[in-house]
Amino acid sequence: MTLRSKRPSPTLSAVTAAIDDAANPLITEDSRFAHSFEIDLDAIVTNQSQPRTRFDADEMEALAKSLQEHGQLQPILVRRDPEQRSKWLLVAGERRLRAARSLGWTRMLALETTSQPEAVALVENLQRANLTPLEEARGIHRMIAELRVSQREAARLLGRHEADISRIQRILSLPSDFLAALEASGASLERELLVELARFPEGATRDKLLNLALRQKLTVRAVREARDAATTRNPKPLRANPAAATRAARKLSEQIRLIRDQNVPLAASERDALRALFVDLAKILENSNDSDI
């Protein structure tokens, strides 16, 4: 008598699969990733060091409509309030928070972070919504001051080149009254224009350029042309460089020896130039301390 193998019961297979799924948690204990959770909006304290200081009304309305239609696609970032354990400090996502509150939401998705909040807030703003160059410069400056880090370390935290951080910080060297007027006007001036203005020498010409910039009637090219014109009118005085002069003298000596050894005739202008050089060298050597020669 031949025994037939029984086919597994479909019901038993389904139950077994369900038990296996239940045995595998969605979030493992050794997970390397932060996981979102729901947070009461009343428990959130906004960041007073928020790099962004202006919130465009039209942009906020568009964001609110997007939240209403599609839901919250990205959690806000928060960290524990060290002074109030029931509260959370907002690190990044103030635009989303404001939009949610305008819709009457009472809860949102959030991620807890333990990273430097100033760096995280600045990076998040730079990546998701363009800061004005002035807001960016002030945000980086505040981060450097509060974290007590160098520009090099700030560049590392922000994933930027140190030279780029240095350039954007130049904007803060512009006159404070100009920066205040720029912020109040809401004018959108490109970063490169502000950097070029910061490089421009102080004086009446720069004051005129700053006024043109506030009226949005100035270009980067115009600033550079004005600087080149000023440099042509007032060239920088040359600084003495004994080391460079010595190197040039060695090369010149080689040519002079060749002229002497090969008995090459000189034109009148060439003789005059060499005589003038001889006089200058004699004066330099006469005025120098013999012990240093």
Side-chain angles (χ1 to χ4, degrees):
M1 181 176 180
T2 303
L3 294 177
R4 294 181 181 179
S5 59
K6 292 184 179 180
R7 293 182 179 179
S9 168
T11 303
L12 180 60
S13 298
V15 171
T16 302
I19 293 174
D20 289 341
D21 289 341
N24 294 320
L26 294 175
I27 301 175
T28 60
E29 292 183 357
D30 60 348
S31 174
R32 297 181 179 180
F33 305 101
H35 298 277
S36 61
F37 60 95
E38 289 193 20
I39 186 172
D40 289 326
L41 301 195
D42 290 340
I44 300 174
V45 180
T46 56
N47 182 6
Q48 299 302 315
S49 298
Q50 157 72 257
R52 177 172 291 281
T53 57
R54 300 174 64 89
F55 295 88
D56 184 86
D58 292 336
E59 289 183 1
M60 294 303 300
E61 183 179 356
L63 180 56
K65 288 181 178 179
S66 176
L67 286 177
Q68 192 170 34
E69 182 176 353
H70 304 291
Q72 185 185 353
L73 301 179
Q74 181 174 357
I76 60 176
L77 295 181
V78 295
R79 67 186 178 104
R80 293 278 185 182
D81 188 335
E83 298 179 358
Q84 306 177 76
R85 298 302 296 173
S86 61
K87 298 290 185 180
W88 295 85
L89 299 177
L90 181 68
V91 174
E94 184 163 350
R95 295 171 71 250
R96 276 163 282 161
L97 176 62
R98 288 176 178 237
R101 282 175 170 164
S102 72
L103 295 172
W105 288 13
T106 58
R107 297 174 71 80
M108 291 185 74
L109 286 178
L111 285 175
E112 182 178 5
T113 178
T114 56
S115 301
Q116 297 284 11
E118 295 82 2
V120 172
L122 189 57
V123 170
E124 199 270 350
N125 273 277
L126 289 172
Q127 291 177 342
R128 293 194 55 81
N130 292 331
L131 296 174
T132 68
L134 181 56
E135 287 173 337
E136 184 183 1
R138 284 177 171 166
I140 294 174
H141 179 75
R142 184 167 56 245
M143 188 184 79
I144 289 174
E146 292 181 1
L147 298 184
R148 297 181 181 180
V149 297
S150 63
Q151 283 193 358
R152 175 175 297 181
E153 180 64 12
R156 186 191 67 78
L157 289 171
L158 296 172
R160 305 269 287 273
H161 291 291
E162 185 179 356
D164 187 44
I165 298 298
S166 178
R167 282 165 54 81
I168 192 69
Q169 289 294 280
R170 273 182 173 270
I171 294 175
L172 299 180
S173 67
L174 287 167
S176 57
D177 56 344
F178 168 78
L179 295 179
L182 176 62
E183 188 173 30
S185 69
S188 178
L189 299 182
E190 60 179 298
R191 184 176 72 168
E192 192 61 29
L193 175 60
L194 292 173
V195 171
E196 289 295 331
L197 285 170
R199 289 174 170 172
F200 203 94
E202 295 182 17
T205 301
R206 190 179 75 165
D207 292 341
K208 292 179 181 178
L209 293 174
L210 293 176
N211 288 329
L212 288 173
L214 287 175
R215 291 155 52 194
Q216 295 187 307
K217 294 184 177 181
L218 188 65
T219 63
V220 173
R221 181 177 179 180
V223 176
R224 290 173 177 170
E225 289 177 349
R227 187 177 62 236
D228 292 342
T231 302
T232 302
R233 290 194 301 269
N234 305 299
K236 293 182 179 180
L238 296 176
R239 297 182 62 182
N241 191 332
T246 302
R247 289 193 297 269
R250 291 195 181 100
K251 293 182 179 179
L252 179 60
S253 296
E254 294 177 2
Q255 287 296 320
I256 290 177
R257 281 195 294 271
L258 289 174
I259 293 172
R260 180 198 62 193
D261 296 342
Q262 297 175 13
N263 198 23
V264 178
L266 298 175
S269 59
E270 294 169 339
R271 288 196 301 271
D272 290 342
L274 289 176
R275 286 194 185 98
L277 177 61
F278 175 79
V279 171
D280 288 338
L281 288 174
K283 288 182 179 179
I284 291 174
L285 295 174
E286 183 180 350
N287 293 333
S288 298
N289 188 332
D290 291 340
S291 62
D292 294 335
I293 298 176

